[in-house]
Amino acid sequence: CMIVIVMLPVVTALTNIILTDNIIDMEDDKQTGRFTLPIIMGREKALLLYNLLYIIGAVSVVIAMLTKSLPYL
């Protein structure tokens, strides 16, 4: 469980980098027939997912500090 809490900020940050790139490229991806998550979900829901992942990553840092999973912070 501790490793999940420690890795969650990294995973959510990397996912958001990819999600951001896919949101930016939505129009080109539609024209070329690619089915990325933002195309399937729509722009608004993809942006909501982006925000949710950001919050989850931030909260997991706080949880990691409170549980002393990250004692050096």
Side-chain angles (χ1 to χ4, degrees):
C1 183
M2 186 170 68
I3 191 73
V4 172
I5 293 172
V6 172
M7 290 302 299
L8 205 51
V10 175
V11 170
T12 56
L14 292 174
T15 302
N16 271 348
I17 290 170
I18 296 167
L19 186 59
T20 301
D21 184 53
N22 287 335
I23 291 170
I24 292 170
D25 294 338
M26 276 182 72
E27 296 306 317
D28 291 338
D29 288 345
K30 282 181 188 177
Q31 291 175 357
T32 58
R34 291 186 181 139
F35 292 100
T36 60
L37 192 57
I39 290 174
I40 294 168
M41 295 177 70
R43 183 179 299 275
E44 294 301 317
K45 288 182 183 176
L47 291 172
L48 181 64
L49 176 61
Y50 176 88
N51 289 325
L52 182 64
L53 288 170
Y54 182 83
I55 291 167
I56 290 170
V59 169
S60 67
V61 170
V62 173
I63 291 171
M65 290 188 321
L66 292 175
T67 60
K68 305 227 188 284
S69 298
L70 297 175
Y72 49 86
L73 289 179

